[in-house]
Amino acid sequence: MADTVLIVDDSVSMRQMETLILKAGGYQVVEAANGKEGVEKLTEDITVVITDYNMPEMNGIEFIEAVRAGSVNKSVPILIVTTESEAEKKQEGKRAGATGWLTKPFEQDQLLRAIKKVASPSDF
Amino acid sequence: MSPSVDPLETFREEVTELLSSLERALMKLEDDPADTGMIDEAFRSMHTIKGSGNMLGLTELGAFTHTVETVFAHVRDGHAAVTPRLIELGLAARDHIESLLATVEPDERLNADGAAIVNELLQEYPLDSGRAGGATVPAAPAATESDAQGETTWRIQLLPASSAFQTGNNPVPLIRELMELGEVLVAGFTDQVPPVEELDPELCMLSWDILLTTDAGENAVRDVFIFVDDDWDIRIAAIDESSLDAADLDYKRLGEILVERGDITADDLANAVNTRSYIGDTLVQQGFVSPERVEAALKEQDLVRKRRESRQSLETSNTIKVRTEKLDTLVNLVGEFVSEHATLQRLATQAGDPEILSTAERLEGLIRDTRDLAMQLHMVPVEVLFSGYRRLVRDLAKELGKDVKLVLEGVDTELDKNIVERLKDPLLHIIRNSLDHGLETPEERTAAGKHPQGTLIMKAYYSGAHVAMRISDDGRGINTDAVREKAIDRGLISEDAQLGEQELNELIFAPGFSTAKKTTSVSGRGVGMDVVRQNIENLGGSIRIESERGQGSSMHLRIPLTLAIVEGLLVEVADQAYMATMSSVVECVELDDSNRRGDQKLMQYRGKLVPFIDLREYFLGITENREMTGGRRQILMVHSEDRMIGLVVDNIRDTFQSVVKTLGKMYEGVEGVSGAVVLGDGRLALMLDIDRLSRLAAHTA
């Protein structure tokens, strides 16, 4: 079975772009419009999560904290995908339990590489 | 609503929604400016438009929304209040985004509209003060940093935790990320990997060195490693910056690099350095370091050197290269100008026409300015001269088994290029002598209670119309006993000569003197310090030595700023004009019997006994004949090095500026003159060699 990526982003177009890239890369995709929805849609079948930083309801950091403190697939690799690139924010993400960081805008293969990196790093 | 499969179409729909939520938020803010939830929503809609817009390559939109978003973040974070103007501009921004999205390619008018809104927003909310608190960074990360910093080369040492393979961390993606920042040179090390039979394939024993050249700034480099486990050893150091002085091409020595990288210790280096072969080979042979690490260090050395070289050629590209011959011609022409003007001045004075006189005076000012400029063009920093010796010192020290640090000071001091050229050889000999005779081997130094590394300092500074230079070492100093012995041996002094320490030191400048026990390849090139002194005096300079046994010696040089034009005082001796350089003249006094001391060539001057030379006697062999001059002769008090002498002349005339010409063969062997100048009336004046004359006076007195 193909690996499944959970995309958590409040922007429809962003989710769509990521979905297109990931499907072309051979992934199955589950979408969520904010952190709260992300927590609901996270199952044991999810291989990797990519999440936005700034979102209504529950932002990226709160989402990661919730996943790590929860009981479902709590150690799933999580990649933060955002326009933010400040070191402080990255540190904040790392403290919350993120596995990696990708700064927008990015090229298709950058996203696929970043996902591979957090999902199965020793394959490189 | 069935979602479109075209992200751009989806984006348009999304933006329409976001814009209406922005409008709603702005309207609510108008009613209640303190509603933070609304300003947050306004911010978020801009943020999303920016992010997706940039992803879709809509750069105009991305840049515009970035500013609007930043202003909203500024207000949201409490750095500024919501004003009616903000609501107004926010609505204008909303409309502008809508128009941007409606066109494929924004035209000029539209861009101008956007720029106007951005300007007004920034006027209303100057962002500089509160920017750090804003939630956003520029769309192109690190762009602002790079503008200020230029390119830097980083040495990144990556030593993964041995558990790296199990925890799923892998350096390769990191290296790839670094490659996105700039140019990368990678060296991998396997020397920590144990033999196969002891190898645990689960453990990571590899390490990497990455040399990254980027304009992205330190934070961007460090950011790459934020998501790396804390038990990795990651060392990041800047090894070259474009702000560094490009003239200083030399990077560290191989041994230094290895020590800095932690591949060997300073002790290892000190132990290995004692042998004479190539340091890299020695370290490998003696098992201090693996060949791959030496190779990596060599690559680093090479990279930095190349970068500095290319930077240097880049720097010269915004200047014009002029052939030195052209500059020389310019300086000479200006010199002729000065001479011609002297003639004009004299003729104008004779004619007595006030208009011609004032023109001549104005011309003089112009000529002076031109001369100063021509001089400046001809000046180069001493650094050009000094830094050329770095390599020499390094190679010589290696050859002699010594450890020497070269310290350059006052390298910005400027000197005439021609003088720099002519100083090369004399300085070379001084440095050779210092390394060969002065500085000791590390063992000798340690035994003497000194630091094993010797120091050679080359220093330059302005001193009046001269540049002073000091080349000093902290070596063993001059062995005056050996000097004395050698001088007696060579017949330079008699066996019972009573000489002080300083006089013995000065003997090294005596023709044909050398204290070297044996001729080494270094200092035994047949050129003695007498030639060094001669060369420096030919430049109109002087040299003296200070030395203290066991503490080191220093050579003190005084070099004129320029060769081309001198200012001097004209004097007359038996109807012949002579010129003394202005910088050596102290004052003029009348000669009378009361300041003579019998038949000795000594006179009273300000309570001191000062030797003097009667130039009439010296140049013409005529003993003083008072009737010829009516008994009113003058004494020119001049100083050279640290001596003062008097020169007895018939008359003192005027100051004069001119180009100094070298003397023809006819004057070879004439001591006491060093050149000639052509005067305004076409006559020739001879330049007095003050240094030579003062030594002569000191000896005969």
Side-chain angles (χ1 to χ4, degrees), chain B residues 154-379:
Chain B
W154 303 90
R155 179 207 296 138
I156 301 156
Q157 292 174 283
L158 208 58
L159 186 65
S162 55
S163 62
F165 291 159
Q166 289 138 315
T167 55
N169 270 305
N170 185 315
V172 177
L174 295 172
I175 294 171
R176 210 168 275 163
E177 235 175 289
L178 289 173
M179 287 167 87
E180 277 162 24
L181 289 176
E183 230 174 287
V184 162
L185 198 71
V186 184
F189 302 121
T190 55
D191 54 359
Q192 301 303 311
V193 179
V196 170
E197 57 272 20
E198 294 165 35
L199 185 73
D200 180 350
E202 297 279 289
L203 293 184
C204 176
M205 304 305 279
L206 305 170
S207 58
W208 286 266
D209 260 17
I210 299 127
L211 298 178
L212 166 70
T213 302
T214 177
D215 58 2
E218 182 166 0
N219 283 340
V221 178
R222 294 200 178 273
D223 283 1
V224 171
F225 301 100
I226 284 181
F227 283 93
V228 167
D229 287 344
D230 293 332
D231 51 357
W232 284 39
D233 188 3
I234 296 164
R235 274 173 276 174
I236 301 176
I239 53 172
D240 184 49
E241 285 163 52
S242 45
S243 57
L244 281 181
D245 208 338
D248 186 10
L249 280 182
D250 288 322
Y251 185 51
K252 299 177 180 86
R253 293 192 241 176
L254 180 67
E256 284 173 69
I257 298 174
L258 287 167
V259 172
E260 210 178 271
R261 284 163 164 256
D263 292 337
I264 58 170
T265 65
D267 286 344
D268 292 345
L269 183 62
N271 289 335
V273 145
N274 285 339
T275 66
R276 292 208 168 196
S277 61
Y278 174 62
I279 182 68
D281 296 342
T282 309
L283 285 165
V284 171
Q285 274 158 21
Q286 300 183 3
F288 287 115
V289 69
S290 64
E292 58 190 19
R293 287 187 193 265
V294 171
E295 200 185 319
L298 281 173
K299 272 189 185 151
E300 174 178 325
Q301 200 179 32
D302 191 48
L303 176 81
V304 172
R305 198 175 288 152
K306 278 196 182 131
R307 278 187 43 75
R308 291 188 182 176
E309 270 166 15
S310 67
R311 205 155 60 226
Q312 197 175 41
S313 54
L314 208 70
E315 263 173 31
T316 45
S317 69
N318 46 22
T319 56
I320 307 172
K321 271 191 184 169
V322 180
R323 294 195 63 82
T324 27
E325 296 93 88
K326 283 190 186 169
L327 276 183
D328 290 347
T329 313
L330 175 68
V331 172
N332 279 335
L333 283 174
V334 172
E336 301 290 345
F337 242 139
V338 174
S339 303
E340 284 302 314
H341 180 264
T343 313
L344 178 67
Q345 186 77 46
R346 189 175 51 84
L347 292 174
T349 314
Q350 276 173 6
D353 185 325
E355 265 188 63
I356 298 181
L357 259 177
S358 71
T359 306
E361 268 160 30
R362 277 201 305 278
L363 198 57
E364 188 184 359
L366 289 173
I367 291 174
R368 202 185 305 120
D369 291 349
T370 315
R371 183 202 62 185
D372 290 348
L373 187 69
M375 287 292 113
Q376 276 172 32
L377 290 178
H378 219 249
M379 300 290 242

Side-chain angles (χ1 to χ4, degrees), chain A residues 11-14 16-17 20 54 56 83-87 89-90 94 98-99 101 105-106 110 113 117 121 124, chain B residues 4-7 10-11 14 44 47-48 51-52 55 135 137 141 168 170 173 176-177 180 223 226-228 230:
Chain A
S11 160
V12 195
S13 60
M14 201 63 220
Q16 192 175 43
M17 278 182 270
L20 284 173
N54 294 293
T83 49
E84 311 286 357
S85 65
E86 284 167 3
K89 297 238 158 91
K90 288 190 181 177
K94 192 186 181 185
T99 326
W101 189 282
F106 49 79
Q110 274 179 294
R113 257 196 341 247
K117 174 180 153 186
F124 271 79
Chain B
S4 157
V5 279
D6 178 6
T10 313
F11 178 63
E14 183 177 22
R44 231 185 4 256
H47 186 75
T48 303
S52 298
M55 279 298 298
V137 291
N170 185 315
R176 210 168 275 163
E177 235 175 289
E180 277 162 24
D223 283 1
I226 284 181
F227 283 93
V228 167
D230 293 332

Side-chain angles (χ1 to χ4, degrees), chain B residues 413-431:
Chain B
T413 314
E414 292 193 326
L415 256 183
D416 189 308
K417 192 176 185 322
N418 291 339
I419 293 183
V420 163
E421 287 299 321
R422 289 167 65 176
L423 275 175
K424 274 184 181 163
D425 279 351
L427 290 191
L428 185 80
H429 288 297
I430 293 171
I431 291 170

Side-chain angles (χ1 to χ4, degrees), chain B residues 595-611:
Chain B
N595 52 23
R596 301 275 306 252
R597 291 256 314 198
D599 287 338
Q600 282 178 293
K601 300 278 186 203
L602 286 170
M603 58 177 280
Q604 285 278 350
Y605 177 73
R606 301 196 176 206
K608 273 193 267 178
L609 275 182
V610 175

Side-chain angles (χ1 to χ4, degrees), chain B residues 81-135:
Chain B
V82 175
T83 61
R85 188 82 185 120
L86 177 71
I87 309 288
E88 210 177 301
L89 287 168
L91 290 172
R94 193 217 85 99
D95 295 344
H96 181 65
I97 292 168
E98 202 166 43
S99 334
L100 272 179
L101 213 64
T103 62
V104 183
E105 195 72 11
D107 61 11
E108 269 175 43
R109 189 191 51 79
L110 205 56
N111 287 342
D113 286 353
I117 296 171
V118 164
N119 275 339
E120 282 190 61
L121 270 172
L122 292 180
Q123 248 166 34
E124 185 83 2
Y125 295 95
L127 293 173
D128 290 329
S129 54
R131 190 151 211 160

